[in-house]
Amino acid sequence: MAMFVHLLAHLVAIYMFVAAPTKADEVDIKKILHELDRMKRDNAYLREKFDTLNAEMATLKNGKGHRVSRSQTVSDLFNLRQKRMVDTSTPLDVDCTVSTRCPPGRDGRDGVPGRDGRDGVGKPGPVGPPGPSGPRGDLGPTGPIASLVDIRKVVMEIVSSNAVYINGSSGGSVYVRWGRTKCPDSAQLVYAGVAGGSHFTHPGGGGNYQCLPYDPQWGSFQDGTQSSTYMYGAEYEVSYTNTPFSLKNTNGISTLHENDVVCAVCHVPTRSAHVMIPAKKDCPNTWFKEYNGYLMSAHSTQKRSTFECMDEAPEVRPGGKANDNGALFYVVEAQCGALPCPNYVAGRELTCVVCTK
């Protein structure tokens, strides 16, 4: 290989002697020497170039005595060679930068690996199944001890927002709304009816008022009077002019006096407790007001009865003004003595309110 390259260098020296190259020729000669250096790295290509250069040198010497002039460049020599070898099927180029007819080059080197591809933008896949349950966490620190007030508050919130179930039955509370046939919006109507009780002149019999439905259902019965205790209807006894009640629900009747008393049984499914509070119009905090009115009961000279809260704007039973007496409702007034005055005032009608929780 070294001898072969040495021979090529010798051929170039001959050319330099024959052509007497200029400065421009010397640049082209350096290109040829650079080509020789590259030829050392490729034996197959070196053989082909050797043949080409050998033929080129033969052309330069020109067997007919042609001598290359000093001013003629390497490029001119190559152009001359092209003219003389037009019929040659294989090009004989020393430097392919000079001629337009070059042999195929060697395969290019492998390029450097490219960068990673960009993240694609695809549609989200389906949601996978739930993973297995994780291990149970550590027990948390002990919290502060709650006061009885806090416990009571939490219990009341639960009771007020959820129905309470006792012995498998739905909870809630039931109360009677005296003087009305409808329940407040917060309650459900169980039934509507008329008020009743024992006759005001009878020393015996039941001591409490009852809310009787309009449509009774009879069991085994025998008409006639066989018993010694009775149920009578009830009337309002408010003959004096300074009645505390509103008449907006009486359908134009100017007075409640001697009209029959109506009633409604109401159910509150989400509050389990109820209470009637005398001498109050508003409920305590955390309690819900169902309705308010005035306290009523039997006359002080008649047989004892219960105290009931009559709605502040009562209704009457249509066609029920007949002064039939029976069970009677009188407005209850305060009397000083054991009852502290103040804050109570003698002779003042007592208010009342029904509350649930």
PDB file of all heavy atoms in Angstrom, residues 36-67:
ATOM      1  N   LEU A  36      -5.066  11.733  -2.443  1.00  0.00           N
ATOM      2  CA  LEU A  36      -4.244  10.549  -2.223  1.00  0.00           C
ATOM      3  C   LEU A  36      -4.331  10.079  -0.776  1.00  0.00           C
ATOM      4  O   LEU A  36      -4.359   8.882  -0.494  1.00  0.00           O
ATOM      5  CB  LEU A  36      -2.782  10.868  -2.595  1.00  0.00           C
ATOM      6  CG  LEU A  36      -2.496  11.113  -4.079  1.00  0.00           C
ATOM      7  CD1 LEU A  36      -1.037  11.537  -4.259  1.00  0.00           C
ATOM      8  CD2 LEU A  36      -2.796   9.866  -4.890  1.00  0.00           C
ATOM      9  N   ASP A  37      -4.369  11.060   0.109  1.00  0.00           N
ATOM     10  CA  ASP A  37      -4.472  10.689   1.529  1.00  0.00           C
ATOM     11  C   ASP A  37      -5.784   9.965   1.817  1.00  0.00           C
ATOM     12  O   ASP A  37      -5.852   9.025   2.596  1.00  0.00           O
ATOM     13  CB  ASP A  37      -4.360  11.947   2.387  1.00  0.00           C
ATOM     14  CG  ASP A  37      -4.373  11.607   3.856  1.00  0.00           C
ATOM     15  OD1 ASP A  37      -3.421  10.954   4.324  1.00  0.00           O
ATOM     16  OD2 ASP A  37      -5.351  11.986   4.534  1.00  0.00           O
ATOM     17  N   ARG A  38      -6.865  10.444   1.146  1.00  0.00           N
ATOM     18  CA  ARG A  38      -8.145   9.761   1.339  1.00  0.00           C
ATOM     19  C   ARG A  38      -8.145   8.383   0.712  1.00  0.00           C
ATOM     20  O   ARG A  38      -8.770   7.444   1.201  1.00  0.00           O
ATOM     21  CB  ARG A  38      -9.264  10.605   0.703  1.00  0.00           C
ATOM     22  CG  ARG A  38     -10.680  10.103   1.022  1.00  0.00           C
ATOM     23  CD  ARG A  38     -11.737  10.978   0.379  1.00  0.00           C
ATOM     24  NE  ARG A  38     -11.714  10.839  -1.082  1.00  0.00           N
ATOM     25  CZ  ARG A  38     -12.304   9.829  -1.722  1.00  0.00           C
ATOM     26  NH1 ARG A  38     -12.924   8.868  -1.059  1.00  0.00           N
ATOM     27  NH2 ARG A  38     -12.260   9.761  -3.047  1.00  0.00           N
ATOM     28  N   MET A  39      -7.382   8.219  -0.383  1.00  0.00           N
ATOM     29  CA  MET A  39      -7.319   6.929  -1.077  1.00  0.00           C
ATOM     30  C   MET A  39      -6.687   5.852  -0.199  1.00  0.00           C
ATOM     31  O   MET A  39      -6.924   4.671  -0.385  1.00  0.00           O
ATOM     32  CB  MET A  39      -6.527   7.079  -2.391  1.00  0.00           C
ATOM     33  CG  MET A  39      -7.287   7.891  -3.457  1.00  0.00           C
ATOM     34  SD  MET A  39      -6.201   8.485  -4.807  1.00  0.00           S
ATOM     35  CE  MET A  39      -5.540   6.942  -5.383  1.00  0.00           C
ATOM     36  N   LYS A  40      -5.810   6.306   0.737  1.00  0.00           N
ATOM     37  CA  LYS A  40      -5.215   5.317   1.633  1.00  0.00           C
ATOM     38  C   LYS A  40      -6.264   4.606   2.468  1.00  0.00           C
ATOM     39  O   LYS A  40      -6.031   3.517   2.956  1.00  0.00           O
ATOM     40  CB  LYS A  40      -4.216   6.006   2.566  1.00  0.00           C
ATOM     41  CG  LYS A  40      -3.011   6.587   1.849  1.00  0.00           C
ATOM     42  CD  LYS A  40      -2.106   7.308   2.850  1.00  0.00           C
ATOM     43  CE  LYS A  40      -0.899   7.928   2.147  1.00  0.00           C
ATOM     44  NZ  LYS A  40      -0.019   8.618   3.099  1.00  0.00           N
ATOM     45  N   ARG A  41      -7.409   5.233   2.651  1.00  0.00           N
ATOM     46  CA  ARG A  41      -8.437   4.654   3.553  1.00  0.00           C
ATOM     47  C   ARG A  41      -9.415   3.758   2.823  1.00  0.00           C
ATOM     48  O   ARG A  41     -10.344   3.259   3.408  1.00  0.00           O
ATOM     49  CB  ARG A  41      -9.196   5.794   4.259  1.00  0.00           C
ATOM     50  CG  ARG A  41      -8.298   6.647   5.153  1.00  0.00           C
ATOM     51  CD  ARG A  41      -9.134   7.610   6.013  1.00  0.00           C
ATOM     52  NE  ARG A  41      -9.847   8.584   5.199  1.00  0.00           N
ATOM     53  CZ  ARG A  41      -9.333   9.779   4.852  1.00  0.00           C
ATOM     54  NH1 ARG A  41      -8.107  10.107   5.232  1.00  0.00           N
ATOM     55  NH2 ARG A  41     -10.047  10.633   4.117  1.00  0.00           N
ATOM     56  N   ASP A  42      -9.222   3.614   1.537  1.00  0.00           N
ATOM     57  CA  ASP A  42     -10.183   2.785   0.810  1.00  0.00           C
ATOM     58  C   ASP A  42      -9.442   2.074  -0.338  1.00  0.00           C
ATOM     59  O   ASP A  42      -9.141   2.690  -1.361  1.00  0.00           O
ATOM     60  CB  ASP A  42     -11.310   3.656   0.255  1.00  0.00           C
ATOM     61  CG  ASP A  42     -12.486   2.837  -0.244  1.00  0.00           C
ATOM     62  OD1 ASP A  42     -12.296   1.671  -0.595  1.00  0.00           O
ATOM     63  OD2 ASP A  42     -13.612   3.401  -0.277  1.00  0.00           O
ATOM     64  N   ASN A  43      -9.084   0.814  -0.169  1.00  0.00           N
ATOM     65  CA  ASN A  43      -8.267   0.085  -1.151  1.00  0.00           C
ATOM     66  C   ASN A  43      -8.957  -0.045  -2.503  1.00  0.00           C
ATOM     67  O   ASN A  43      -8.357   0.159  -3.564  1.00  0.00           O
ATOM     68  CB  ASN A  43      -7.919  -1.299  -0.617  1.00  0.00           C
ATOM     69  CG  ASN A  43      -6.969  -1.211   0.570  1.00  0.00           C
ATOM     70  OD1 ASN A  43      -6.222  -0.223   0.675  1.00  0.00           O
ATOM     71  ND2 ASN A  43      -6.961  -2.208   1.433  1.00  0.00           N
ATOM     72  N   ALA A  44     -10.236  -0.380  -2.456  1.00  0.00           N
ATOM     73  CA  ALA A  44     -10.952  -0.591  -3.722  1.00  0.00           C
ATOM     74  C   ALA A  44     -11.021   0.703  -4.510  1.00  0.00           C
ATOM     75  O   ALA A  44     -10.775   0.741  -5.724  1.00  0.00           O
ATOM     76  CB  ALA A  44     -12.347  -1.117  -3.433  1.00  0.00           C
ATOM     77  N   TYR A  45     -11.323   1.784  -3.826  1.00  0.00           N
ATOM     78  CA  TYR A  45     -11.410   3.082  -4.492  1.00  0.00           C
ATOM     79  C   TYR A  45     -10.024   3.541  -4.954  1.00  0.00           C
ATOM     80  O   TYR A  45      -9.845   4.189  -5.977  1.00  0.00           O
ATOM     81  CB  TYR A  45     -12.020   4.100  -3.527  1.00  0.00           C
ATOM     82  CG  TYR A  45     -12.275   5.439  -4.182  1.00  0.00           C
ATOM     83  CD1 TYR A  45     -13.278   5.573  -5.114  1.00  0.00           C
ATOM     84  CD2 TYR A  45     -11.503   6.559  -3.848  1.00  0.00           C
ATOM     85  CE1 TYR A  45     -13.516   6.794  -5.722  1.00  0.00           C
ATOM     86  CE2 TYR A  45     -11.729   7.776  -4.452  1.00  0.00           C
ATOM     87  CZ  TYR A  45     -12.732   7.905  -5.391  1.00  0.00           C
ATOM     88  OH  TYR A  45     -12.979   9.101  -5.984  1.00  0.00           O
ATOM     89  N   LEU A  46      -8.960   3.155  -4.187  1.00  0.00           N
ATOM     90  CA  LEU A  46      -7.588   3.527  -4.527  1.00  0.00           C
ATOM     91  C   LEU A  46      -7.155   2.906  -5.860  1.00  0.00           C
ATOM     92  O   LEU A  46      -6.521   3.560  -6.686  1.00  0.00           O
ATOM     93  CB  LEU A  46      -6.646   3.073  -3.393  1.00  0.00           C
ATOM     94  CG  LEU A  46      -5.186   3.470  -3.524  1.00  0.00           C
ATOM     95  CD1 LEU A  46      -5.044   4.986  -3.529  1.00  0.00           C
ATOM     96  CD2 LEU A  46      -4.388   2.863  -2.382  1.00  0.00           C
ATOM     97  N   ARG A  47      -7.552   1.659  -6.053  1.00  0.00           N
ATOM     98  CA  ARG A  47      -7.202   0.995  -7.300  1.00  0.00           C
ATOM     99  C   ARG A  47      -7.822   1.717  -8.488  1.00  0.00           C
ATOM    100  O   ARG A  47      -7.186   1.937  -9.511  1.00  0.00           O
ATOM    101  CB  ARG A  47      -7.652  -0.476  -7.256  1.00  0.00           C
ATOM    102  CG  ARG A  47      -7.462  -1.244  -8.561  1.00  0.00           C
ATOM    103  CD  ARG A  47      -5.988  -1.306  -8.966  1.00  0.00           C
ATOM    104  NE  ARG A  47      -5.188  -1.956  -7.936  1.00  0.00           N
ATOM    105  CZ  ARG A  47      -3.882  -2.096  -7.999  1.00  0.00           C
ATOM    106  NH1 ARG A  47      -3.214  -1.562  -9.029  1.00  0.00           N
ATOM    107  NH2 ARG A  47      -3.217  -2.693  -7.026  1.00  0.00           N
ATOM    108  N   GLU A  48      -9.070   2.094  -8.366  1.00  0.00           N
ATOM    109  CA  GLU A  48      -9.750   2.779  -9.457  1.00  0.00           C
ATOM    110  C   GLU A  48      -9.105   4.128  -9.733  1.00  0.00           C
ATOM    111  O   GLU A  48      -8.875   4.524 -10.876  1.00  0.00           O
ATOM    112  CB  GLU A  48     -11.228   2.971  -9.094  1.00  0.00           C
ATOM    113  CG  GLU A  48     -12.010   3.715 -10.167  1.00  0.00           C
ATOM    114  CD  GLU A  48     -13.444   3.933  -9.754  1.00  0.00           C
ATOM    115  OE1 GLU A  48     -13.854   3.357  -8.737  1.00  0.00           O
ATOM    116  OE2 GLU A  48     -14.158   4.688 -10.442  1.00  0.00           O
ATOM    117  N   LYS A  49      -8.735   4.846  -8.676  1.00  0.00           N
ATOM    118  CA  LYS A  49      -8.127   6.153  -8.842  1.00  0.00           C
ATOM    119  C   LYS A  49      -6.718   6.044  -9.458  1.00  0.00           C
ATOM    120  O   LYS A  49      -6.267   6.898 -10.203  1.00  0.00           O
ATOM    121  CB  LYS A  49      -8.054   6.865  -7.476  1.00  0.00           C
ATOM    122  CG  LYS A  49      -9.387   7.425  -7.018  1.00  0.00           C
ATOM    123  CD  LYS A  49      -9.851   8.511  -7.981  1.00  0.00           C
ATOM    124  CE  LYS A  49     -11.173   9.100  -7.558  1.00  0.00           C
ATOM    125  NZ  LYS A  49     -11.588  10.169  -8.487  1.00  0.00           N
ATOM    126  N   PHE A  50      -6.029   4.992  -9.071  1.00  0.00           N
ATOM    127  CA  PHE A  50      -4.696   4.786  -9.641  1.00  0.00           C
ATOM    128  C   PHE A  50      -4.766   4.661 -11.158  1.00  0.00           C
ATOM    129  O   PHE A  50      -4.005   5.297 -11.893  1.00  0.00           O
ATOM    130  CB  PHE A  50      -4.058   3.531  -9.023  1.00  0.00           C
ATOM    131  CG  PHE A  50      -2.716   3.203  -9.634  1.00  0.00           C
ATOM    132  CD1 PHE A  50      -1.585   3.881  -9.263  1.00  0.00           C
ATOM    133  CD2 PHE A  50      -2.595   2.197 -10.624  1.00  0.00           C
ATOM    134  CE1 PHE A  50      -0.355   3.595  -9.829  1.00  0.00           C
ATOM    135  CE2 PHE A  50      -1.368   1.920 -11.166  1.00  0.00           C
ATOM    136  CZ  PHE A  50      -0.228   2.620 -10.778  1.00  0.00           C
ATOM    137  N   ASP A  51      -5.706   3.851 -11.619  1.00  0.00           N
ATOM    138  CA  ASP A  51      -5.871   3.680 -13.065  1.00  0.00           C
ATOM    139  C   ASP A  51      -6.239   4.998 -13.721  1.00  0.00           C
ATOM    140  O   ASP A  51      -5.757   5.338 -14.806  1.00  0.00           O
ATOM    141  CB  ASP A  51      -6.936   2.628 -13.357  1.00  0.00           C
ATOM    142  CG  ASP A  51      -6.504   1.247 -12.872  1.00  0.00           C
ATOM    143  OD1 ASP A  51      -5.288   1.016 -12.719  1.00  0.00           O
ATOM    144  OD2 ASP A  51      -7.419   0.407 -12.635  1.00  0.00           O
ATOM    145  N   THR A  52      -7.080   5.749 -13.038  1.00  0.00           N
ATOM    146  CA  THR A  52      -7.530   7.028 -13.609  1.00  0.00           C
ATOM    147  C   THR A  52      -6.359   8.007 -13.701  1.00  0.00           C
ATOM    148  O   THR A  52      -6.149   8.677 -14.719  1.00  0.00           O
ATOM    149  CB  THR A  52      -8.647   7.624 -12.748  1.00  0.00           C
ATOM    150  OG1 THR A  52      -9.738   6.699 -12.677  1.00  0.00           O
ATOM    151  CG2 THR A  52      -9.146   8.943 -13.337  1.00  0.00           C
ATOM    152  N   LEU A  53      -5.574   8.083 -12.608  1.00  0.00           N
ATOM    153  CA  LEU A  53      -4.446   9.010 -12.603  1.00  0.00           C
ATOM    154  C   LEU A  53      -3.365   8.592 -13.608  1.00  0.00           C
ATOM    155  O   LEU A  53      -2.695   9.431 -14.229  1.00  0.00           O
ATOM    156  CB  LEU A  53      -3.853   9.105 -11.195  1.00  0.00           C
ATOM    157  CG  LEU A  53      -4.729   9.857 -10.173  1.00  0.00           C
ATOM    158  CD1 LEU A  53      -4.091   9.751  -8.785  1.00  0.00           C
ATOM    159  CD2 LEU A  53      -4.854  11.323 -10.560  1.00  0.00           C
ATOM    160  N   ASN A  54      -3.172   7.313 -13.766  1.00  0.00           N
ATOM    161  CA  ASN A  54      -2.182   6.813 -14.720  1.00  0.00           C
ATOM    162  C   ASN A  54      -2.552   7.230 -16.138  1.00  0.00           C
ATOM    163  O   ASN A  54      -1.718   7.681 -16.937  1.00  0.00           O
ATOM    164  CB  ASN A  54      -2.052   5.309 -14.590  1.00  0.00           C
ATOM    165  CG  ASN A  54      -0.840   4.752 -15.354  1.00  0.00           C
ATOM    166  OD1 ASN A  54       0.175   5.456 -15.501  1.00  0.00           O
ATOM    167  ND2 ASN A  54      -0.942   3.531 -15.847  1.00  0.00           N
ATOM    168  N   ALA A  55      -3.842   7.068 -16.438  1.00  0.00           N
ATOM    169  CA  ALA A  55      -4.320   7.478 -17.762  1.00  0.00           C
ATOM    170  C   ALA A  55      -4.196   8.984 -17.917  1.00  0.00           C
ATOM    171  O   ALA A  55      -3.886   9.502 -18.993  1.00  0.00           O
ATOM    172  CB  ALA A  55      -5.767   7.043 -17.954  1.00  0.00           C
ATOM    173  N   GLU A  56      -4.429   9.709 -16.838  1.00  0.00           N
ATOM    174  CA  GLU A  56      -4.330  11.176 -16.895  1.00  0.00           C
ATOM    175  C   GLU A  56      -2.900  11.616 -17.172  1.00  0.00           C
ATOM    176  O   GLU A  56      -2.662  12.535 -17.951  1.00  0.00           O
ATOM    177  CB  GLU A  56      -4.814  11.759 -15.567  1.00  0.00           C
ATOM    178  CG  GLU A  56      -4.867  13.286 -15.556  1.00  0.00           C
ATOM    179  CD  GLU A  56      -5.909  13.825 -16.505  1.00  0.00           C
ATOM    180  OE1 GLU A  56      -6.872  13.063 -16.838  1.00  0.00           O
ATOM    181  OE2 GLU A  56      -5.785  14.975 -16.949  1.00  0.00           O
ATOM    182  N   MET A  57      -1.944  10.946 -16.547  1.00  0.00           N
ATOM    183  CA  MET A  57      -0.549  11.297 -16.757  1.00  0.00           C
ATOM    184  C   MET A  57      -0.127  11.023 -18.203  1.00  0.00           C
ATOM    185  O   MET A  57       0.640  11.778 -18.803  1.00  0.00           O
ATOM    186  CB  MET A  57       0.349  10.526 -15.796  1.00  0.00           C
ATOM    187  CG  MET A  57       0.166  10.926 -14.328  1.00  0.00           C
ATOM    188  SD  MET A  57       0.443  12.686 -14.034  1.00  0.00           S
ATOM    189  CE  MET A  57       2.184  12.801 -14.477  1.00  0.00           C
ATOM    190  N   ALA A  58      -0.667   9.942 -18.751  1.00  0.00           N
ATOM    191  CA  ALA A  58      -0.376   9.641 -20.153  1.00  0.00           C
ATOM    192  C   ALA A  58      -0.899  10.740 -21.053  1.00  0.00           C
ATOM    193  O   ALA A  58      -0.281  11.114 -22.057  1.00  0.00           O
ATOM    194  CB  ALA A  58      -0.953   8.283 -20.535  1.00  0.00           C
ATOM    195  N   THR A  59      -2.055  11.257 -20.700  1.00  0.00           N
ATOM    196  CA  THR A  59      -2.652  12.345 -21.486  1.00  0.00           C
ATOM    197  C   THR A  59      -1.831  13.616 -21.355  1.00  0.00           C
ATOM    198  O   THR A  59      -1.610  14.357 -22.313  1.00  0.00           O
ATOM    199  CB  THR A  59      -4.081  12.614 -21.006  1.00  0.00           C
ATOM    200  OG1 THR A  59      -4.846  11.427 -21.118  1.00  0.00           O
ATOM    201  CG2 THR A  59      -4.737  13.719 -21.831  1.00  0.00           C
ATOM    202  N   LEU A  60      -1.312  13.880 -20.135  1.00  0.00           N
ATOM    203  CA  LEU A  60      -0.542  15.088 -19.901  1.00  0.00           C
ATOM    204  C   LEU A  60       0.766  15.076 -20.720  1.00  0.00           C
ATOM    205  O   LEU A  60       1.216  16.101 -21.224  1.00  0.00           O
ATOM    206  CB  LEU A  60      -0.231  15.235 -18.418  1.00  0.00           C
ATOM    207  CG  LEU A  60      -1.443  15.583 -17.522  1.00  0.00           C
ATOM    208  CD1 LEU A  60      -1.028  15.554 -16.061  1.00  0.00           C
ATOM    209  CD2 LEU A  60      -1.996  16.952 -17.887  1.00  0.00           C
ATOM    210  N   LYS A  61       1.395  13.913 -20.764  1.00  0.00           N
ATOM    211  CA  LYS A  61       2.643  13.833 -21.528  1.00  0.00           C
ATOM    212  C   LYS A  61       2.416  13.976 -23.039  1.00  0.00           C
ATOM    213  O   LYS A  61       3.276  14.428 -23.777  1.00  0.00           O
ATOM    214  CB  LYS A  61       3.340  12.500 -21.239  1.00  0.00           C
ATOM    215  CG  LYS A  61       3.885  12.440 -19.830  1.00  0.00           C
ATOM    216  CD  LYS A  61       4.558  11.103 -19.575  1.00  0.00           C
ATOM    217  CE  LYS A  61       5.115  11.039 -18.149  1.00  0.00           C
ATOM    218  NZ  LYS A  61       5.809   9.755 -17.889  1.00  0.00           N
ATOM    219  N   ASN A  62       1.270  13.588 -23.490  1.00  0.00           N
ATOM    220  CA  ASN A  62       0.835  13.761 -24.880  1.00  0.00           C
ATOM    221  C   ASN A  62       1.874  13.135 -25.841  1.00  0.00           C
ATOM    222  O   ASN A  62       2.887  13.732 -26.170  1.00  0.00           O
ATOM    223  CB  ASN A  62       0.676  15.242 -25.212  1.00  0.00           C
ATOM    224  CG  ASN A  62      -0.086  15.422 -26.528  1.00  0.00           C
ATOM    225  OD1 ASN A  62      -0.414  14.442 -27.196  1.00  0.00           O
ATOM    226  ND2 ASN A  62      -0.312  16.664 -26.886  1.00  0.00           N
ATOM    227  N   GLY A  63       1.578  11.930 -26.248  1.00  0.00           N
ATOM    228  CA  GLY A  63       2.543  11.171 -27.058  1.00  0.00           C
ATOM    229  C   GLY A  63       3.003  11.873 -28.316  1.00  0.00           C
ATOM    230  O   GLY A  63       4.021  11.543 -28.885  1.00  0.00           O
ATOM    231  N   LYS A  64       2.273  12.893 -28.821  1.00  0.00           N
ATOM    232  CA  LYS A  64       2.654  13.583 -30.043  1.00  0.00           C
ATOM    233  C   LYS A  64       3.577  14.757 -29.761  1.00  0.00           C
ATOM    234  O   LYS A  64       3.787  15.619 -30.594  1.00  0.00           O
ATOM    235  CB  LYS A  64       1.414  14.085 -30.770  1.00  0.00           C
ATOM    236  CG  LYS A  64       0.538  12.959 -31.283  1.00  0.00           C
ATOM    237  CD  LYS A  64      -0.654  13.507 -32.027  1.00  0.00           C
ATOM    238  CE  LYS A  64      -1.516  12.367 -32.561  1.00  0.00           C
ATOM    239  NZ  LYS A  64      -2.668  12.872 -33.324  1.00  0.00           N
ATOM    240  N   GLY A  65       4.090  14.839 -28.534  1.00  0.00           N
ATOM    241  CA  GLY A  65       5.039  15.897 -28.215  1.00  0.00           C
ATOM    242  C   GLY A  65       4.384  17.145 -27.678  1.00  0.00           C
ATOM    243  O   GLY A  65       5.005  18.192 -27.608  1.00  0.00           O
ATOM    244  N   HIS A  66       3.041  17.039 -27.292  1.00  0.00           N
ATOM    245  CA  HIS A  66       2.345  18.212 -26.753  1.00  0.00           C
ATOM    246  C   HIS A  66       2.900  18.538 -25.373  1.00  0.00           C
ATOM    247  O   HIS A  66       3.082  17.671 -24.538  1.00  0.00           O
ATOM    248  CB  HIS A  66       0.847  17.908 -26.658  1.00  0.00           C
ATOM    249  CG  HIS A  66       0.099  19.014 -25.997  1.00  0.00           C
ATOM    250  ND1 HIS A  66      -0.188  20.198 -26.645  1.00  0.00           N
ATOM    251  CD2 HIS A  66      -0.415  19.105 -24.744  1.00  0.00           C
ATOM    252  CE1 HIS A  66      -0.850  20.981 -25.814  1.00  0.00           C
ATOM    253  NE2 HIS A  66      -1.008  20.319 -24.643  1.00  0.00           N
ATOM    254  N   ARG A  67       3.205  19.790 -25.127  1.00  0.00           N
ATOM    255  CA  ARG A  67       3.735  20.206 -23.818  1.00  0.00           C
ATOM    256  C   ARG A  67       2.744  21.200 -23.210  1.00  0.00           C
ATOM    257  O   ARG A  67       2.309  22.139 -23.885  1.00  0.00           O
ATOM    258  CB  ARG A  67       5.103  20.864 -23.984  1.00  0.00           C
ATOM    259  CG  ARG A  67       5.683  21.334 -22.658  1.00  0.00           C
ATOM    260  CD  ARG A  67       7.067  21.937 -22.893  1.00  0.00           C
ATOM    261  NE  ARG A  67       7.626  22.437 -21.633  1.00  0.00           N
ATOM    262  CZ  ARG A  67       8.251  21.678 -20.741  1.00  0.00           C
ATOM    263  NH1 ARG A  67       8.395  20.364 -20.981  1.00  0.00           N
ATOM    264  NH2 ARG A  67       8.746  22.207 -19.644  1.00  0.00           N
TER     265      ARG A  67
END
